[in-house]
Amino acid sequence: MEGLLRTAEELAGRYGISYYEIRVTRVTASHLSMQNGQLEELGMNTEVGIGVRAFNGAWGFSSANDMSRAGDAIEAAMKIAKLSRGDSKIYLGDPVKDRAEIRPKKSFLDLDIEDKLALVKEIDSLLRGGDISNRSVYYGDGLKESFYFNSLGSEIETVVPRLRLSFSVTARGNGEMQSYWKSFGGTAGWELVERIDLNRWTAFVREKAISLLHAQSPPSGEFPVIMDPELTGVFIHEALGHAVEADSVKNGDSILAGKLGERIAVEGLTVVDDPTLPGKFGSYVYDDEGIKARRVEIIKNGVLVNYLTDRETSALLGLEPNGHGRAQGYSYQPLVRMSNTYVEPGDWSFEEMVEEVKNGLYMIGDKGGEVDTANGTFTFGAKEGYIIENGEIKAQVRDVALSGWILNVLRNIRAIGDDLRIEFPGYCGKGQWVPVDDGGPHVLTRALVGGLR
């Protein structure tokens, strides 16, 4: 590393570069997937690489997966920056020297690949039976060791473990096919796997997929809707979270541009993005720009109080960077990204919410969708739903979708539950993929409901 520091300093002087940053990363990972009892992927690998950014009013970037070419990557980034000279500014701040490690209780690196394969086989076996026509199991883990330094004098070493397990089934019957799935994950070790009740959750997924074969189609129209914690998290992440990423604000792709300090939701709503939550899938200690991770209140009591920022957008908007510059890996430039995004709990019980609804729906889980942050519209599918009539949960519905205008849904919130859950790990795509988590309590609002095509 001392040699890299000297090389970077010499080249910066030669090319007239005032700011640069270098990330050296090693990831040790394993991936296993199985489909209907057939092993489709079994991989173990270690990858080492370097990513370099240089700033000269515009960014220059280069990377290499061969550390013997590290000097070439540094020089290429600085050449690009010099040739791309612009008039942008970035937040610099004070240098940081630190070493931070998220320590698992039981490292997955200490387990043999046979143990991980045995887990995948056990889950596949438990998913068999009944009307199940298709089974899928995925396991992945990775230990990311990173060394970051920049021209300010920052030197930051971080070690972060991450593990994810997911499984799904498809049921076939009555001329129909229905799917259901469950995921677990976190910045943790094998202890996360040992806490999972595999018998319970595989039976749950099987039974849900089969029951959906007999569920009815949803009604269409505008209704009171109770979102479960998973759907609450997806709504907040997709519909609100992307709109407060400051690069969207900068590029004019957000309905929330220029709205800091304005009330955009009901008074009781507080929304947070917090990469410091212990053990969550989207957690980290420092972002990929060497900024310390921190809890950010996005909405506080209905008022928009923060955007998520990186070094460049914070300088443009006159804000402090809040640790949300993230990259998929060493060969990607950091972008403004979320981490663990959630709605803070209120004081309603789920039973009180249901009693409040005379004619509406209870919608559960995430089945994908789309958001237009510039126009403020969204459509999300739910894994399943239930009709609510006169304060009672009735028939199950399938292929149900929730849609509307983001700000209307936020303003129409009538009740926020007391049952916070942040346990829905996944990967968020934005030209590159980063691990995230989201959640919240049950939330009662009003939105358009219809069937999925």
Side-chain angles (χ1 to χ4, degrees), residues 207-453:
E207 290 162 7
K208 284 292 187 180
I210 292 169
S211 72
L212 283 169
L213 293 173
H214 309 284
Q216 64 187 50
S217 297
S220 295
E222 188 175 13
F223 294 94
V225 172
I226 298 176
M227 299 186 290
D228 86 314
E230 182 176 3
L231 188 56
T232 293
V234 168
F235 170 75
I236 286 300
H237 174 102
E238 296 288 355
L240 178 74
H242 284 299
V244 298
E245 290 173 331
D247 50 355
S248 295
V249 175
K250 177 190 76 170
N251 296 332
D253 294 330
S254 172
I255 56 164
L256 299 178
K259 292 187 181 294
L260 279 184
E262 293 185 18
R263 181 171 301 283
I264 63 168
V266 294
E267 187 173 348
L269 181 70
T270 295
V271 177
V272 173
D273 188 280
D274 189 356
T276 72
L277 290 176
K280 298 305 177 183
F281 197 59
S283 297
Y284 50 89
V285 185
Y286 286 87
D287 75 358
D288 291 305
E289 296 187 315
I291 302 294
K292 187 75 177 281
R294 73 185 200 198
R295 179 181 186 271
V296 177
E297 288 184 333
I298 298 169
I299 297 176
K300 185 172 180 64
N301 294 324
V303 176
L304 180 66
V305 292
N306 270 306
Y307 298 128
L308 304 180
T309 62
D310 60 5
R311 287 186 184 270
E312 187 172 0
T313 56
S314 61
L316 177 72
L317 299 172
L319 305 170
E320 255 191 66
N322 48 37
H324 286 81
R326 305 182 65 193
Q328 178 175 322
Y330 67 85
S331 60
Y332 294 83
Q333 294 198 61
L335 301 174
V336 182
R337 308 302 299 273
M338 285 171 275
S339 60
N340 307 303
T341 315
Y342 62 97
V343 173
E344 288 208 324
D347 55 9
W348 284 65
S349 70
F350 175 65
E351 293 74 20
E352 289 171 333
M353 261 188 229
V354 174
E355 289 173 2
E356 191 78 6
V357 179
K358 302 307 176 190
N359 179 32
L361 287 96
Y362 175 34
M363 295 177 64
I364 298 173
D366 162 38
K367 207 172 182 179
E370 55 188 35
V371 178
D372 184 336
T373 57
N375 294 317
T377 58
F378 71 92
T379 300
F380 299 131
K383 289 178 182 173
E384 59 175 322
Y386 292 86
I387 303 293
I388 302 177
E389 294 178 351
N390 297 317
E392 294 184 0
I393 295 177
K394 300 289 187 177
Q396 186 184 35
V397 295
R398 66 187 183 198
D399 303 326
V400 57
L402 178 78
S403 62
W405 196 49
I406 297 166
L407 295 180
N408 279 351
V409 173
L410 294 175
R411 290 165 181 154
N412 285 333
I413 290 174
R414 289 167 54 191
I416 300 172
D418 58 7
D419 51 350
L420 173 65
R421 290 168 56 203
I422 310 166
E423 51 189 52
F424 307 103
Y427 287 90
C428 176
K430 186 177 167 181
Q432 48 179 287
W433 298 91
V434 295
V436 296
D437 216 329
D438 51 48
H442 284 88
V443 171
L444 170 60
T445 186
R446 190 170 184 87
L448 293 172
V449 173
L452 283 171
R453 294 181 179 179

Side-chain angles (χ1 to χ4, degrees), residues 142-154:
L143 183 72
K144 181 179 179 181
E145 302 167 272
S146 297
F147 183 77
Y148 169 96
F149 63 88
N150 64 24
S151 54
L152 301 175
S154 291

